[in-house]
Amino acid sequence: EVIATGNNELIAYNLIWNGINTLNTELRYKVYKTKEDRKDITLTCNKKKKVTNGIQYLNEECETNIDELDLIKEGVIEHSEEETTIELTDNEYITSSQTGEKVYYYIIIEYPNLTEKELEEQNEDIGEGFKGKVHAKISDSKADINILSIFIKDEETGKYKKADSMPKEGYEINTDKSECSNGAKASTNYDDYSVNIKNLTLDGTSCYLYYDKIKGKSIEEIFANAEKGNGIPNFSNTSCINGTNNGNDCGEETNGIYETTSNGKKIYYYRGTIDNNWVIFGEHVWRIIRTNEDGGIRLIFSGELTNEQITDANRKGETLNIGKIKFNDDYEDNAYVGYRYSLNDRHGLENKSTMLIGLESWYRDTFSKWKQNGKNVTEYIDMQEGFCGDRTSNTSSGATSTNNSGGTGTIATYYGAHIRLYNAHQPQYECPELEYDLYTTSDAAQGNHKLTYPIGLLTVDEAMYAGGSSGPNYGYWLYPAPNGYYLTMSPSSYFTYANVFVVNGVGAITSDGVRYAIAVRPVINLKADVKLSGDGTSSNPYIVK
């Protein structure tokens, strides 16, 4: 009995004999197979006697009902003085299932019917014998796929023309029109320009493949034509439960895509309980936070991609982060609220924070190695956009604006995001100190040019635009929080120790010490000229083209 448990993988294997046959006569074997229920094999044997030239020969002949099954292989086990290994089959295939796919094999090993001369020599086998075991062993063989024809759609005529080879970039398999035998389905892996066949169950599967030109939508087209949310978001709440508090908006009552401006440029952002900002990129799951001033999009990490689908683990926040990292190891100075920092300098950039080091490591060693449409994912990254770690400050906890007082040493200080969240109740996308606190790479036209890799975190302002506030809120898309909390890159305050803002397990924006390891969700920016297929829902997410 061979059982294959898994997720519809096609597994190649062989039945292997390990044993020794010290008989001078070679044994014969036959292998039978059935996918039906286990069959009861009957064996009926009759002893026979024969006298030749005064010599009596005794033998036993047997009959079995095994011939009712499919004979898939037969061969011999030759005489040997040492243990030998024999492949009893030629590349068997089985498709695994979650309940366990079964197939039954029946192996007959028999002493052959001998000629009279062989019977006379049979005495040489007296005292000898054979023994062995049979087991299944996975092989490296691949099922043969016969591509019968490849057709590529002519965009001018709308008709398909036969081609000699699979097209390269810019095309995708028309899964509805393409056909394969044995119920298989074809798709294209553009990382290495290979054809993937799903539900492949039999060797020798044949396919007719039809290709269409990829027709993704531009970012500008998607947001210009998108239905916009109703009402005007209210950012003045300080307590929200289940999305509303005494009728005041806290994200849930204003759902959808909204507009605002940043430095005179139109920005679209997602707010409330929405399910249309999912993106698959670099074999990870992301969600769109907003558009940028240059027309690109900003994404936040939302988990690993499983079987090319967005799963409940992504939706429920169980896999939203890349692990836990401290914002900074040191904490007894205002400087440690900085993504980069210098002691005794409110906007210092000399040292990398523990958080920046961790994110750079993930980007370099993990993310940048992924492919998209056969290209390195970094080719889609917008190197002009930055990440704001606003360190404008005030020493007054009740201030409604910043005046850059405090912010060094152990002076009690409240930073710009703290003032906008608790006192002014008005988020903004503009970064106040572009030269110091807008973290960009050397390729950018603005910012501090202090990033090695274009990666950052969510800001408090982006969380507020999405529907977050200082109170609990389960009614916006940035809730739930993985592992209870995840970090933003917005400084909060210094009071005894340095604090940055986090989104906590009940969806509230609150502050926590930089010295605590907290879940991390990287943020990246994609170029304005990328195209997206799909509609952004979790069942049909945007895919970067």
Side-chain angles (χ1 to χ4, degrees):
E1 179 183 79
V2 174
I3 303 176
T5 303
N7 190 21
N8 293 321
E9 299 93 352
L10 182 69
I11 301 170
Y13 62 97
N14 274 312
L15 298 185
I16 305 296
W17 152 277
N18 288 115
I20 184 170
N21 173 25
T22 59
L23 296 168
N24 290 285
T25 304
E26 63 184 21
L27 298 172
R28 296 175 184 173
Y29 71 85
K30 293 182 178 180
V31 181
Y32 297 84
K33 174 182 178 181
T34 178
K35 292 184 178 180
E36 307 297 330
D37 293 337
R38 185 191 300 270
K39 185 175 181 62
D40 292 329
I41 304 301
T42 60
L43 188 67
T44 304
C45 298
N46 295 311
K47 292 183 178 180
K48 293 187 176 182
K49 180 171 65 174
K50 182 177 182 181
V51 178
T52 303
N53 297 327
I55 300 174
Q56 179 174 275
Y57 296 94
L58 297 175
N59 70 309
E60 190 174 53
E61 292 186 358
C62 301
E63 293 183 354
T64 176
N65 63 341
I66 200 167
D67 290 333
E68 299 173 7
L69 305 180
D70 293 329
L71 175 64
I72 63 170
K73 183 75 180 293
E74 57 184 319
V76 298
I77 302 175
E78 297 178 344
H79 167 82
S80 63
E81 296 297 333
E82 297 179 352
E83 185 174 279
T84 59
T85 298
I86 300 173
E87 289 188 352
L88 302 180
T89 56
D90 295 324
N91 290 332
E92 291 291 288
Y93 293 90
I94 187 170
T95 302
S96 65
S97 66
Q98 294 183 355
T99 57
E101 191 72 12
K102 295 181 181 180
V103 64
Y104 299 96
Y105 293 90
Y106 305 87
I107 301 167
I108 299 295
I109 299 176
E110 60 183 358
Y111 198 89
N113 292 327
L114 304 178
T115 65
E116 289 188 9
K117 183 177 180 181
E118 289 171 331
L119 286 170
E120 293 174 3
E121 298 172 352
Q122 188 183 36
N123 289 342
E124 297 179 9
D125 286 338
I126 294 175
E128 301 296 337
F130 72 92
K131 62 180 179 179
K133 294 182 179 180
V134 176
H135 66 279
K137 181 181 180 181
I138 293 176
S139 75
D140 295 328
S141 299
K142 304 297 182 183
D144 288 335
I145 304 171
N146 181 21
I147 306 300
L148 297 178
S149 291
I150 294 174
F151 300 91
I152 300 176
K153 189 174 184 178
D154 186 315
E155 294 302 311
E156 293 184 4
T157 64
K159 297 180 179 180
Y160 289 89
K161 294 183 178 180
K162 191 172 182 179
D164 295 328
S165 61
M166 186 182 81
K168 295 292 185 178
E169 298 176 21
Y171 286 85
E172 60 187 351
I173 283 182
N174 183 325
T175 55
D176 293 330
K177 193 170 182 62
S178 297
E179 296 180 351
C180 294
S181 61
N182 308 319
K185 289 289 185 182
S187 62
T188 301
N189 180 0
Y190 281 103
D191 291 347
D192 56 6
Y193 301 110
S194 62
V195 175
N196 291 336
I197 307 294
K198 295 183 178 180
N199 299 320
L200 180 60
T201 59
L202 293 176
D203 191 22
T205 294
S206 57
C207 296
Y208 292 88
L209 303 181
Y210 289 80
Y211 285 86
D212 295 339
K213 195 172 183 64
I214 295 173
K215 292 183 178 180
K217 294 181 180 180
S218 69
I219 294 172
E220 181 180 10
E221 181 182 4
I222 288 172
F223 287 97
N225 296 326
E227 183 178 352
K228 306 304 187 294
N230 296 318
I232 300 174
N234 176 7
F235 303 108
S236 63
N237 290 347
T238 57
S239 179
C240 302
I241 300 175
N242 293 326
T244 58
N245 180 48
N246 297 326
N248 294 321
D249 166 58
C250 195
E252 185 170 305
E253 292 182 358
T254 48
N255 299 324
I257 296 174
Y258 286 81
E259 297 179 16
T260 188
T261 58
S262 177
N263 292 314
K265 301 293 182 61
K266 184 177 292 186
I267 302 292
Y268 297 101
Y269 63 94
Y270 288 88
R271 180 175 174 84
T273 53
I274 47 89
D275 184 50
N276 61 341
N277 64 340
W278 295 94
V279 177
I280 292 176
F281 176 62
E283 301 200 26
H284 300 291
V285 177
W286 305 80
R287 299 189 79 168
I288 302 174
I289 301 170
R290 62 179 176 101
T291 60
N292 292 317
E293 291 179 16
D294 66 357
I297 50 175
R298 186 167 302 220
L299 308 180
I300 186 169
F301 183 87
S302 296
E304 301 293 340
L305 186 63
T306 305
N307 296 327
E308 300 182 2
Q309 293 181 336
I310 292 173
T311 65
D312 284 342
N314 302 118
R315 298 184 191 95
K316 295 178 181 178
E318 297 170 3
T319 61
L320 295 188
N321 66 89
I322 63 169
K324 293 183 177 181
I325 306 175
K326 295 178 181 179
F327 197 89
N328 251 315
D329 290 323
D330 297 314
Y331 57 93
E332 294 179 331
D333 193 290
N334 269 286
Y336 300 123
V337 301
Y339 200 45
R340 291 186 68 112
Y341 66 90
S342 302
L343 294 175
N344 301 315
D345 184 348
R346 182 184 304 109
H347 298 291
L349 299 168
E350 178 183 1
N351 305 301
K352 293 181 180 181
S353 64
T354 307
M355 172 57 59
L356 178 54
I357 294 171
L359 282 175
E360 285 183 339
S361 176
W362 179 80
Y363 187 96
R364 178 186 64 246
D365 298 337
T366 305
F367 175 66
S368 65
K369 295 180 179 180
W370 290 101
K371 299 286 186 180
Q372 189 78 17
N373 305 323
K375 301 178 182 179
N376 192 291
V377 293
T378 55
E379 294 189 37
Y380 296 88
I381 300 296
D382 189 347
M383 306 298 287
Q384 295 299 315
E385 281 296 330
F387 308 88
C388 187
D390 178 15
R391 289 178 290 185
T392 56
S393 60
N394 201 310
T395 53
S396 171
S397 62
T400 56
S401 63
T402 58
N403 60 12
N404 278 332
S405 60
T408 59
T410 58
I411 300 172
T413 301
Y414 303 89
Y415 290 94
H418 183 282
I419 292 170
R420 289 191 293 275
L421 174 67
Y422 292 111
N423 303 335
H425 307 301
Q426 183 60 57
Q428 66 182 45
Y429 286 133
E430 294 94 338
C431 196
E433 295 285 350
L434 295 179
E435 184 178 355
Y436 304 105
D437 296 341
L438 181 65
Y439 293 89
T440 58
T441 68
S442 58
D443 294 326
Q446 61 178 348
N448 58 32
H449 308 123
K450 290 295 184 177
L451 293 184
T452 305
Y453 302 105
I455 189 167
L457 297 175
L458 185 77
T459 67
V460 160
D461 300 273
E462 288 166 343
M464 290 176 69
Y465 275 116
S469 72
S470 58
N473 181 12
Y474 311 114
Y476 72 123
W477 66 269
L478 283 172
Y479 169 86
N483 300 326
Y485 294 77
Y486 62 91
L487 280 160
T488 78
M489 65 183 295
S490 297
S492 170
S493 63
Y494 180 89
F495 192 80
T496 307
Y497 51 82
N499 301 283
V500 292
F501 278 107
V502 302
V503 178
N504 70 15
V506 293
I509 303 170
T510 186
S511 63
D512 211 340
V514 298
R515 57 181 168 171
Y516 300 114
I518 296 174
V520 176
R521 299 180 66 180
V523 170
I524 58 173
N525 297 297
L526 298 189
K527 295 176 180 178
D529 62 359
V530 302
K531 291 186 181 296
L532 304 174
S533 65
D535 61 16
T537 60
S538 56
S539 59
N540 185 27
Y542 290 126
I543 298 178
V544 177
K545 298 298 184 181

